[in-house]
Amino acid sequence: MKKSPSHVAVLGDLNLDTTVQIAAFPVDVGDTMFAADGVVDLVGGAAANVACGLRALGDQVTFASVIGTDRIGDLVLERLGQLGVEVRHVRRDWPITSRTVVLVDGEGRRRCINDPKQVHDYRFPDEGLLGTLGCARWVVLSTQAWCRPVARFAREYGCRVVVDLQAITGDDEYHREFLRHAHVVVFSTERLGMHSHDFFRKLWREYPVEVAVATHGSGGATLGLRAGAEIEFEPAFDVRAVVDRTGAGDAFTAGFVDAMVRGRSPREALTRGQLAAAHKIGERGSSRGFPTAARLEELFQRFGELPGQARGA
């Protein structure tokens, strides 16, 4: 099957996110806290968020995941479809859908409590993978356990494999199956046990990773290119007032992958990923606030060439 450079397959977690607005951390509200319009149920999960971000940017996306046969699963599918993401490759292979509770304070900081249900014992069937990958040239994976063999399958199938490692601590056994087959990795340095530059060099020594990106939250992001061992830091952008940081890393991944799919350089992809994340955190909810292609282009034209100290809105 001929692969389309504009087609992206995204595989990984999908769940119901219940976002709860609080005043501040630590939570100390006594027996009961009242928050008018402060509890919202939305589609969530890193992979689902990336799929939503790519769809908002106009990419052709095939999404695959696994959820339960319960009513929550019905709700998740309905809302994901409303966001423009095709759901025919989402399998309903266990009874209960995964859930996450997200606490968000007045400054947009969040804490997540995730119940993955049976995800660690699951294996996505190979015939389902063939249908999902189809003519996709690019594949984006989250790091759920069932995605580990998918990384090998996708690379051998001829896809460009992107893995969102999220808040990785280092080169541990769990993530090695992803690293052995990834062309591109994105990771947060929030919990990384070494300097991001050292981690880049470790990846280049031991794995076939070609492009690596370290995100530092409000501290910006760093791009590492295997060719020439190039490393470049870029400060963050101040696009909108921060409302909710949930999904910022997923928005970055969507913006970065979208740029790569469209043939832009990794350096430009870094900027576009950061702008997508900066836009995303201005709206509440894990699957809300992703920029459209027109909005991201507007932001790139406005901020993309500015020096670090001039990047405020």
Side-chain angles (χ1 to χ4, degrees), residues 252 255-257 259-260 264-274:
F252 175 92
F256 187 88
V257 171
M260 296 290 285
R264 306 183 192 277
S265 69
R267 180 63 188 79
E268 182 174 333
L270 180 74
T271 298
R272 289 179 178 271
Q274 288 223 87

PDB file of all heavy atoms in Angstrom, residues 252 255-257 259-260 264-274:
ATOM      1  N   PHE A 252       2.446  20.419  21.982  1.00  0.00           N
ATOM      2  CA  PHE A 252       3.775  20.569  21.405  1.00  0.00           C
ATOM      3  C   PHE A 252       4.031  19.454  20.394  1.00  0.00           C
ATOM      4  O   PHE A 252       4.485  19.706  19.268  1.00  0.00           O
ATOM      5  CB  PHE A 252       4.855  20.550  22.481  1.00  0.00           C
ATOM      6  CG  PHE A 252       6.244  20.586  21.898  1.00  0.00           C
ATOM      7  CD1 PHE A 252       6.886  21.791  21.704  1.00  0.00           C
ATOM      8  CD2 PHE A 252       6.890  19.418  21.509  1.00  0.00           C
ATOM      9  CE1 PHE A 252       8.152  21.847  21.118  1.00  0.00           C
ATOM     10  CE2 PHE A 252       8.151  19.453  20.925  1.00  0.00           C
ATOM     11  CZ  PHE A 252       8.781  20.675  20.731  1.00  0.00           C
ATOM     12  N   GLY A 255       2.072  20.005  17.204  1.00  0.00           N
ATOM     13  CA  GLY A 255       2.630  21.074  16.385  1.00  0.00           C
ATOM     14  C   GLY A 255       3.939  20.676  15.737  1.00  0.00           C
ATOM     15  O   GLY A 255       4.203  21.012  14.572  1.00  0.00           O
ATOM     16  N   PHE A 256       4.767  19.960  16.480  1.00  0.00           N
ATOM     17  CA  PHE A 256       6.073  19.518  15.963  1.00  0.00           C
ATOM     18  C   PHE A 256       5.889  18.509  14.838  1.00  0.00           C
ATOM     19  O   PHE A 256       6.484  18.629  13.761  1.00  0.00           O
ATOM     20  CB  PHE A 256       6.896  18.918  17.104  1.00  0.00           C
ATOM     21  CG  PHE A 256       8.309  18.582  16.714  1.00  0.00           C
ATOM     22  CD1 PHE A 256       9.304  19.540  16.828  1.00  0.00           C
ATOM     23  CD2 PHE A 256       8.638  17.332  16.233  1.00  0.00           C
ATOM     24  CE1 PHE A 256      10.616  19.245  16.466  1.00  0.00           C
ATOM     25  CE2 PHE A 256       9.946  17.024  15.860  1.00  0.00           C
ATOM     26  CZ  PHE A 256      10.934  17.990  15.974  1.00  0.00           C
ATOM     27  N   VAL A 257       5.041  17.496  15.066  1.00  0.00           N
ATOM     28  CA  VAL A 257       4.823  16.459  14.054  1.00  0.00           C
ATOM     29  C   VAL A 257       4.162  17.048  12.817  1.00  0.00           C
ATOM     30  O   VAL A 257       4.531  16.716  11.679  1.00  0.00           O
ATOM     31  CB  VAL A 257       3.986  15.310  14.643  1.00  0.00           C
ATOM     32  CG1 VAL A 257       3.553  14.338  13.549  1.00  0.00           C
ATOM     33  CG2 VAL A 257       4.776  14.580  15.725  1.00  0.00           C
ATOM     34  N   ALA A 259       4.491  19.957  11.571  1.00  0.00           N
ATOM     35  CA  ALA A 259       5.518  20.650  10.784  1.00  0.00           C
ATOM     36  C   ALA A 259       6.407  19.654  10.045  1.00  0.00           C
ATOM     37  O   ALA A 259       6.742  19.855   8.872  1.00  0.00           O
ATOM     38  CB  ALA A 259       6.348  21.545  11.693  1.00  0.00           C
ATOM     39  N   MET A 260       6.796  18.578  10.707  1.00  0.00           N
ATOM     40  CA  MET A 260       7.647  17.581  10.062  1.00  0.00           C
ATOM     41  C   MET A 260       6.908  16.898   8.912  1.00  0.00           C
ATOM     42  O   MET A 260       7.485  16.655   7.843  1.00  0.00           O
ATOM     43  CB  MET A 260       8.097  16.546  11.090  1.00  0.00           C
ATOM     44  CG  MET A 260       8.972  17.109  12.207  1.00  0.00           C
ATOM     45  SD  MET A 260      10.622  17.602  11.647  1.00  0.00           S
ATOM     46  CE  MET A 260      11.401  15.999  11.457  1.00  0.00           C
ATOM     47  N   ARG A 264       8.702  20.671   6.840  1.00  0.00           N
ATOM     48  CA  ARG A 264       9.454  21.779   7.416  1.00  0.00           C
ATOM     49  C   ARG A 264      10.676  21.239   8.154  1.00  0.00           C
ATOM     50  O   ARG A 264      10.736  20.068   8.514  1.00  0.00           O
ATOM     51  CB  ARG A 264       8.565  22.592   8.348  1.00  0.00           C
ATOM     52  CG  ARG A 264       7.268  23.086   7.700  1.00  0.00           C
ATOM     53  CD  ARG A 264       6.466  23.953   8.642  1.00  0.00           C
ATOM     54  NE  ARG A 264       5.118  24.212   8.158  1.00  0.00           N
ATOM     55  CZ  ARG A 264       4.778  25.145   7.286  1.00  0.00           C
ATOM     56  NH1 ARG A 264       5.739  25.926   6.772  1.00  0.00           N
ATOM     57  NH2 ARG A 264       3.531  25.308   6.902  1.00  0.00           N
ATOM     58  N   SER A 265      11.628  22.081   8.409  1.00  0.00           N
ATOM     59  CA  SER A 265      12.853  21.654   9.081  1.00  0.00           C
ATOM     60  C   SER A 265      12.566  21.354  10.550  1.00  0.00           C
ATOM     61  O   SER A 265      11.617  21.904  11.143  1.00  0.00           O
ATOM     62  CB  SER A 265      13.910  22.755   8.994  1.00  0.00           C
ATOM     63  OG  SER A 265      13.529  23.867   9.790  1.00  0.00           O
ATOM     64  N   PRO A 266      13.369  20.501  11.188  1.00  0.00           N
ATOM     65  CA  PRO A 266      13.199  20.266  12.627  1.00  0.00           C
ATOM     66  C   PRO A 266      13.296  21.559  13.432  1.00  0.00           C
ATOM     67  O   PRO A 266      12.601  21.699  14.443  1.00  0.00           O
ATOM     68  CB  PRO A 266      14.338  19.306  12.956  1.00  0.00           C
ATOM     69  CG  PRO A 266      14.601  18.581  11.681  1.00  0.00           C
ATOM     70  CD  PRO A 266      14.396  19.609  10.606  1.00  0.00           C
ATOM     71  N   ARG A 267      14.126  22.494  12.989  1.00  0.00           N
ATOM     72  CA  ARG A 267      14.261  23.764  13.716  1.00  0.00           C
ATOM     73  C   ARG A 267      12.961  24.551  13.678  1.00  0.00           C
ATOM     74  O   ARG A 267      12.531  25.106  14.699  1.00  0.00           O
ATOM     75  CB  ARG A 267      15.405  24.590  13.097  1.00  0.00           C
ATOM     76  CG  ARG A 267      15.632  25.937  13.793  1.00  0.00           C
ATOM     77  CD  ARG A 267      16.059  25.733  15.235  1.00  0.00           C
ATOM     78  NE  ARG A 267      16.097  26.980  15.978  1.00  0.00           N
ATOM     79  CZ  ARG A 267      15.043  27.593  16.485  1.00  0.00           C
ATOM     80  NH1 ARG A 267      13.824  27.065  16.348  1.00  0.00           N
ATOM     81  NH2 ARG A 267      15.172  28.711  17.165  1.00  0.00           N
ATOM     82  N   GLU A 268      12.324  24.607  12.519  1.00  0.00           N
ATOM     83  CA  GLU A 268      11.036  25.289  12.435  1.00  0.00           C
ATOM     84  C   GLU A 268       9.963  24.509  13.179  1.00  0.00           C
ATOM     85  O   GLU A 268       9.072  25.102  13.808  1.00  0.00           O
ATOM     86  CB  GLU A 268      10.619  25.492  10.981  1.00  0.00           C
ATOM     87  CG  GLU A 268       9.309  26.252  10.840  1.00  0.00           C
ATOM     88  CD  GLU A 268       8.951  26.601   9.402  1.00  0.00           C
ATOM     89  OE1 GLU A 268       9.878  26.732   8.572  1.00  0.00           O
ATOM     90  OE2 GLU A 268       7.737  26.760   9.122  1.00  0.00           O
ATOM     91  N   ALA A 269      10.048  23.183  13.118  1.00  0.00           N
ATOM     92  CA  ALA A 269       9.089  22.361  13.842  1.00  0.00           C
ATOM     93  C   ALA A 269       9.153  22.631  15.346  1.00  0.00           C
ATOM     94  O   ALA A 269       8.131  22.626  16.034  1.00  0.00           O
ATOM     95  CB  ALA A 269       9.351  20.881  13.550  1.00  0.00           C
ATOM     96  N   LEU A 270      10.357  22.874  15.865  1.00  0.00           N
ATOM     97  CA  LEU A 270      10.520  23.197  17.289  1.00  0.00           C
ATOM     98  C   LEU A 270       9.718  24.442  17.640  1.00  0.00           C
ATOM     99  O   LEU A 270       8.979  24.471  18.640  1.00  0.00           O
ATOM    100  CB  LEU A 270      11.999  23.412  17.602  1.00  0.00           C
ATOM    101  CG  LEU A 270      12.339  23.758  19.055  1.00  0.00           C
ATOM    102  CD1 LEU A 270      12.204  22.526  19.938  1.00  0.00           C
ATOM    103  CD2 LEU A 270      13.764  24.332  19.153  1.00  0.00           C
ATOM    104  N   THR A 271       9.855  25.483  16.844  1.00  0.00           N
ATOM    105  CA  THR A 271       9.140  26.732  17.098  1.00  0.00           C
ATOM    106  C   THR A 271       7.635  26.533  17.002  1.00  0.00           C
ATOM    107  O   THR A 271       6.873  27.006  17.855  1.00  0.00           O
ATOM    108  CB  THR A 271       9.588  27.814  16.104  1.00  0.00           C
ATOM    109  OG1 THR A 271      10.984  28.066  16.291  1.00  0.00           O
ATOM    110  CG2 THR A 271       8.820  29.110  16.310  1.00  0.00           C
ATOM    111  N   ARG A 272       7.200  25.827  15.976  1.00  0.00           N
ATOM    112  CA  ARG A 272       5.762  25.621  15.796  1.00  0.00           C
ATOM    113  C   ARG A 272       5.184  24.758  16.922  1.00  0.00           C
ATOM    114  O   ARG A 272       4.054  24.983  17.366  1.00  0.00           O
ATOM    115  CB  ARG A 272       5.494  25.007  14.425  1.00  0.00           C
ATOM    116  CG  ARG A 272       5.728  26.005  13.283  1.00  0.00           C
ATOM    117  CD  ARG A 272       5.482  25.391  11.919  1.00  0.00           C
ATOM    118  NE  ARG A 272       5.658  26.372  10.866  1.00  0.00           N
ATOM    119  CZ  ARG A 272       4.693  27.170  10.381  1.00  0.00           C
ATOM    120  NH1 ARG A 272       3.461  27.047  10.868  1.00  0.00           N
ATOM    121  NH2 ARG A 272       4.931  28.046   9.435  1.00  0.00           N
ATOM    122  N   GLY A 273       5.953  23.787  17.400  1.00  0.00           N
ATOM    123  CA  GLY A 273       5.497  23.002  18.533  1.00  0.00           C
ATOM    124  C   GLY A 273       5.340  23.850  19.782  1.00  0.00           C
ATOM    125  O   GLY A 273       4.339  23.737  20.509  1.00  0.00           O
ATOM    126  N   GLN A 274       6.316  24.709  20.019  1.00  0.00           N
ATOM    127  CA  GLN A 274       6.227  25.576  21.194  1.00  0.00           C
ATOM    128  C   GLN A 274       5.053  26.555  21.099  1.00  0.00           C
ATOM    129  O   GLN A 274       4.385  26.839  22.096  1.00  0.00           O
ATOM    130  CB  GLN A 274       7.540  26.349  21.362  1.00  0.00           C
ATOM    131  CG  GLN A 274       8.694  25.506  21.839  1.00  0.00           C
ATOM    132  CD  GLN A 274       9.508  26.211  22.896  1.00  0.00           C
ATOM    133  OE1 GLN A 274       9.201  26.140  24.088  1.00  0.00           O
ATOM    134  NE2 GLN A 274      10.553  26.899  22.467  1.00  0.00           N
TER     135      GLN A 274
END
